Amino acid sequence: MVGLKEMLLAEQRRLEKIIHTSQRELKNAPEGTLRLSTSQNRPQYYHCTKNSKKNGTYISRENKFLIQQLAQKSYNEKVLKCAEKRLSQIRKITKDYNDHEIEEIFEKEHIERKKLIQPVEPTWEQKMKSWAAEVYQGKEFQDNVPLIFTERGERVRSKSEKIMADYFFRNNIEYKYERPLLLKGYGTVYPDFTFLSRRTGEEIYWEHDGKMDDPTYARNAVKKIEAYENNNIFPGERLILTFETEYTILSTKTIEKLVEKYLN
């Protein structure tokens, strides 16, 4: 599964933090355990230690701090045991796990042997080639729109879109400009850029809103974002958003950071 190792490593880091926190708190925990019983529908608390009676020493309700410490200790011990068990399992998996190991079996075959083999599933290169070859009809340009062309030779609507498209082109990031997308309950939209994510196998959409100081434009932009969300395409997941105003210009550094986060 593409992206599984990244998810496992993230879970590994989470478990390591949980273990560290639990161990730190257990160092300061009191000796013994807490035993609870009920009398007349009211809880009673007992402190069980090596030197206490068989059923433990009664703890007054006024001693809430000790009661809470012992309860927390028991909880932390259970969490620690569970986290250590899962961490051990994950470490064994991630030690030699490779998201692309099945694909790499085919890629490592001799070029002549590859011609004789049908991969059990399409390789990333095959998927991308098929995706890139798709023919679509983009949004038409009005007569009053300036003529702006990218290094790839396609026409775009703004200088910012040209900067973005040229960056993708120079960095060999395959994209589709204004490929139509049907959003239920809203209609057809034309995302500025559409990508195919190797990490998830899903399409990612990039909307650049360049006139956010225009109230009408901004309202329409917000409605479109809501339409994406209503179709389970959320910012920070499959939707990348960038904005400009007259005084706030999109920088190449921002493009680089977003590409690194979502497209690599």
Side-chain angles (χ1 to χ4, degrees), residues 135-149:
V135 178
Y136 64 92
Q137 181 62 51
K139 190 176 181 181
E140 293 185 358
F141 287 85
Q142 297 178 348
D143 294 336
N144 60 343
V145 176
L147 290 171
I148 303 173
F149 289 90

Side-chain angles (χ1 to χ4, degrees), residues 4 6 31 37 51 71 78 85 96 99 149 152 165 180 189 213 218-219 230 233 238 244 249:
L4 177 58
E6 184 179 326
E31 179 192 359
S37 68
N51 300 322
K78 293 173 185 175
K85 177 182 177 181
D96 63 354
D99 285 334
F149 289 90
R152 197 165 80 169
V189 297
D213 41 5
R219 282 194 297 270
N230 291 335
I233 302 173
R238 294 179 56 208
E244 282 185 308
I249 307 299

Side-chain angles (χ1 to χ4, degrees), residues 202-220:
E202 296 182 298
E203 289 184 326
I204 293 178
Y205 308 100
W206 191 320
E207 288 281 10
H208 178 66
D209 297 312
K211 300 178 182 178
M212 292 303 288
D213 41 5
D214 180 330
T216 302
Y217 180 98
R219 282 194 297 270
N220 291 335

Side-chain angles (χ1 to χ4, degrees), residues 115-163:
K115 297 175 183 178
L116 305 173
I117 298 173
Q118 179 63 42
V120 293
E121 62 180 10
T123 64
W124 168 250
E125 185 178 339
Q126 291 170 332
K127 291 177 184 176
M128 179 56 75
K129 185 176 181 180
S130 175
W131 181 81
E134 178 197 32
V135 178
Y136 64 92
Q137 181 62 51
K139 190 176 181 181
E140 293 185 358
F141 287 85
Q142 297 178 348
D143 294 336
N144 60 343
V145 176
L147 290 171
I148 303 173
F149 289 90
T150 68
E151 292 179 11
R152 197 165 80 169
E154 65 196 337
R155 187 179 178 187
V156 294
R157 299 179 188 278
S158 70
K159 293 180 180 178
S160 294
E161 289 180 350
K162 171 178 166 53
I163 291 171

Side-chain angles (χ1 to χ4, degrees), residues 1-9 12 89-104 121 199:
M1 175 181 173
V2 175
L4 177 58
K5 185 166 186 176
E6 184 179 326
M7 294 167 60
L8 289 171
L9 289 173
Q12 179 175 314
Q89 293 171 334
I90 289 175
R91 280 176 172 167
K92 287 178 182 178
I93 295 173
T94 56
K95 185 177 180 181
D96 63 354
Y97 183 83
N98 179 356
D99 285 334
H100 308 290
E101 57 191 0
I102 298 297
E103 181 177 333
E104 287 178 359
E121 62 180 10
R199 190 182 305 168

Side-chain angles (χ1 to χ4, degrees), residues 34-259:
L34 180 70
R35 184 176 72 82
L36 278 77
S37 68
T38 304
S39 176
Q40 298 180 346
N41 294 324
R42 297 185 66 186
Q44 291 187 327
Y45 307 101
Y46 296 85
H47 188 184
C48 299
T49 65
K50 292 180 180 179
N51 300 322
S52 66
K53 302 175 185 177
K54 181 179 179 181
N55 293 324
T57 303
Y58 177 75
I59 309 175
S60 169
R61 290 189 183 88
E62 281 70 34
N63 196 352
K64 289 182 179 179
F65 183 66
L66 177 59
I67 294 171
Q68 290 174 342
Q69 277 190 312
L70 291 170
Q72 185 68 44
K73 178 184 178 182
S74 175
Y75 167 78
N76 286 340
E77 288 174 336
K78 293 173 185 175
V79 168
L80 180 61
K81 183 178 179 181
C82 178
E84 288 179 334
K85 177 182 177 181
R86 290 290 174 251
L87 180 60
S88 176
Q89 293 171 334
I90 289 175
R91 280 176 172 167
K92 287 178 182 178
I93 295 173
T94 56
K95 185 177 180 181
D96 63 354
Y97 183 83
N98 179 356
D99 285 334
H100 308 290
E101 57 191 0
I102 298 297
E103 181 177 333
E104 287 178 359
I105 293 174
F106 176 78
E107 295 297 344
K108 290 178 181 178
E109 294 285 357
H110 188 278
I111 187 169
E112 293 300 325
R113 189 178 287 270
K114 284 183 181 180
K115 297 175 183 178
L116 305 173
I117 298 173
Q118 179 63 42
V120 293
E121 62 180 10
T123 64
W124 168 250
E125 185 178 339
Q126 291 170 332
K127 291 177 184 176
M128 179 56 75
K129 185 176 181 180
S130 175
W131 181 81
E134 178 197 32
V135 178
Y136 64 92
Q137 181 62 51
K139 190 176 181 181
E140 293 185 358
F141 287 85
Q142 297 178 348
D143 294 336
N144 60 343
V145 176
L147 290 171
I148 303 173
F149 289 90
T150 68
E151 292 179 11
R152 197 165 80 169
E154 65 196 337
R155 187 179 178 187
V156 294
R157 299 179 188 278
S158 70
K159 293 180 180 178
S160 294
E161 289 180 350
K162 171 178 166 53
I163 291 171
M164 296 167 75
D166 289 345
Y167 179 87
F168 303 143
F169 180 68
R170 291 171 194 158
N171 288 276
N172 298 313
I173 300 171
E174 191 66 47
Y175 67 87
K176 295 180 179 180
Y177 179 71
E178 291 193 342
R179 173 175 173 260
L181 172 67
L182 178 62
L183 297 179
K184 294 180 181 178
Y186 186 85
T188 299
V189 297
Y190 295 85
D192 295 315
F193 301 97
T194 301
F195 309 88
L196 186 63
S197 170
R198 181 170 190 176
R199 190 182 305 168
T200 65
E202 296 182 298
E203 289 184 326
I204 293 178
Y205 308 100
W206 191 320
E207 288 281 10
H208 178 66
D209 297 312
K211 300 178 182 178
M212 292 303 288
D213 41 5
D214 180 330
T216 302
Y217 180 98
R219 282 194 297 270
N220 291 335
V222 170
K223 287 180 181 178
K224 189 193 291 187
I225 294 169
E226 289 177 344
Y228 275 107
E229 293 173 336
N230 291 335
N231 283 264
N232 296 317
I233 302 173
F234 297 100
E237 294 179 3
R238 294 179 56 208
L239 179 61
I240 304 171
L241 298 171
T242 46
F243 306 95
E244 282 185 308
T245 66
E246 183 180 355
Y247 301 104
T248 305
I249 307 299
L250 179 67
S251 69
T252 303
K253 185 174 289 187
T254 297
I255 298 172
E256 290 176 352
K257 288 181 179 179
L258 291 171
V259 166

